[in-house]
Amino acid sequence: MSEREQPETTRPAVTPPRSVPDTPASAPGAPPAGLRRELPAEVPPAAPRTAYGRTGASEAPRTTHPPQVSQKPQASETPAAGGPAEPGLTGRRRLVNGLWPPRVTRAQLIVALLLFGLGFGLAVQVASTSDTDSALRGARQEDLVRILDELDDRTERLEDEKQGLEKQREELENSSDQAEEARRQTIEKERQLGVLAGTVAAQGPGIEMTIEDTKGTVESDMLLDAIQELRAAGAEAIQVNGVRVVAGTYLSDADGGVSVDGNKIKSPYRFKVIGKPQDLEPALNIPGGVVQTLEKEQATVTVERTDKIVVDALRAPKRPDYARSSSR
């Protein structure tokens, strides 16, 4: 039987192909028309990528985005296909960019200057304190004993002066005739000032010190140290070889002796000092003090306590050239 004569029921049914609407021919490599209708009109189709992330040799040139819809890529986003790969900023790079170049404001500059001044002041104070501590730490035992004795003597003298002033105040407050009491205290104060100024003779307990300088090694600075030591110990009146020593006394070296306020004196040097003997003698005999220093210069020093010392050398009162009393 021929092929034409076979029954139609034995032929397999063939489904006719679906009719596809006519569409214009798309460019090579373009996506199907159905997918293209689902994308926004402004976004270009993505180019096919190879296994290494690059387009094939036959792909179409990359279409740039329109300016109105372009967005700036973030540092963490993946760069666009086909574009140059820019690495994102690391944490260290961001720190460097934040610190340099420095951005200093006026307020920060003022605060920095204030902190610098404060630090400089603290450094100076610490340095001065350290110098004082190191000086005391390196001092000898004799020097420390002498410093402590001087401090004790000054404290005691200040306490006595305080008690005397309080007594005067009580006498003024309790006196029936306050004007007469004030006059009496004024006269007494004048006498005390006269003793200190050397215009009035004085007497009282004290010491006598004699320095024998047979070698001629005693100089003016050694006698000045002795006077300063006596004053620090509470001496109220001092006389050296008939010359009254006051606040303005000066000493200098002279041929064969020492000059005191222009008056030349020679060995032996005799000191008459009025004050508390219990304070004056130890101040001269402390280790490393006046007596030991003079003995190292081969001088002989003798110190004697006595209940009555007469200081009768006087200084003529000198009228000051510029200073005037402020009381009216």
Side-chain angles (χ1 to χ4, degrees):
M1 183 179 294
S2 63
E3 183 179 359
R4 294 180 180 178
E5 296 176 354
Q6 291 180 358
E8 295 180 0
T9 56
T10 61
R11 286 185 179 183
V14 179
T15 304
R18 295 177 61 183
S19 61
V20 180
D22 295 334
T23 57
S26 59
L35 180 59
R36 184 174 182 82
R37 283 196 301 269
E38 295 176 0
L39 294 176
E42 294 82 4
V43 180
R49 300 169 63 97
T50 62
Y52 295 95
R54 296 184 180 179
T55 58
S58 61
E59 70 174 317
R62 182 168 177 257
T63 306
T64 59
H65 295 283
Q68 60 273 17
V69 296
S70 63
Q71 296 181 357
K72 185 178 180 181
Q74 300 294 332
S76 60
E77 294 179 358
T78 304
E86 296 181 1
L89 295 178
T90 62
R92 181 179 299 179
R93 186 60 183 174
R94 287 196 298 269
L95 179 61
V96 172
N97 292 341
L99 295 179
W100 189 264
R103 302 173 181 85
V104 181
T105 62
R106 183 176 181 181
Q108 293 175 347
L109 182 60
I110 294 175
V111 172
L113 292 176
L114 292 177
L115 292 177
F116 174 78
L118 179 61
F120 181 77
L122 291 176
V124 171
Q125 183 177 3
V126 171
S128 61
T129 305
S130 301
D131 294 341
T132 304
D133 294 342
S134 60
L136 293 177
R137 191 180 298 109
R140 299 178 302 174
Q141 183 177 1
E142 295 81 1
D143 296 335
L144 295 176
V145 172
R146 178 175 57 83
I147 293 173
L148 290 176
D149 291 340
E150 291 180 357
L151 291 176
D152 293 339
D153 294 341
R154 290 178 183 177
T155 302
E156 186 176 355
R157 289 197 303 271
L158 291 175
E159 188 66 27
D160 294 341
E161 184 177 357
K162 176 184 176 183
Q163 293 178 0
L165 293 175
E166 291 178 351
K167 183 178 179 180
Q168 292 179 5
R169 185 186 64 182
E170 292 177 358
E171 291 176 354
L172 286 173
E173 292 176 351
N174 299 330
S175 176
S176 58
D177 190 353
Q178 295 185 356
E180 183 63 26
E181 182 65 24
R183 189 179 297 107
R184 185 187 66 81
Q185 292 186 7
T186 302
I187 295 173
E188 183 66 22
K189 191 67 175 179
E190 182 181 0
R191 291 176 181 175
Q192 295 176 2
L193 294 176
V195 171
L196 297 177
T199 58
V200 178
Q203 66 178 9
I207 63 170
E208 288 184 356
M209 181 175 65
T210 303
I211 302 175
E212 293 283 350
D213 182 24
T214 57
K215 302 294 184 179
T217 57
V218 177
E219 299 179 352
S220 59
D221 58 341
M222 301 178 185
L223 297 183
L224 180 60
D225 291 340
I227 293 174
Q228 296 291 356
E229 194 70 37
L230 291 170
R231 284 177 173 172
E236 297 177 353
I238 303 175
Q239 177 178 315
V240 182
N241 288 23
V243 180
R244 188 71 170 267
V245 177
V246 294
T249 297
Y250 64 92
L251 287 81
S252 61
D253 294 326
D255 295 336
V258 177
S259 176
V260 181
D261 287 339
N263 301 309
K264 184 178 179 180
I265 60 176
K266 295 183 178 180
S267 176
Y269 304 106
R270 294 185 175 88
F271 285 72
K272 293 183 178 181
V273 186
I274 296 177
K276 189 176 180 179
Q278 293 80 1
D279 295 337
L280 298 176
E281 183 181 5
L284 297 174
N285 291 315
I286 61 175
V290 174
V291 175
Q292 285 191 0
T293 302
L294 292 172
E295 289 178 349
K296 289 180 180 179
E297 299 296 333
Q298 300 181 356
T300 304
V301 183
T302 58
V303 180
E304 296 179 359
R305 298 184 185 183
T306 180
D307 295 334
K308 185 178 181 180
I309 297 291
V310 178
V311 177
D312 52 3
L314 303 179
R315 299 290 295 266
K318 182 180 179 181
R319 183 181 180 85
D321 296 332
Y322 304 101
R324 297 291 183 269
S325 177
S326 60
S327 60
R328 297 294 183 182

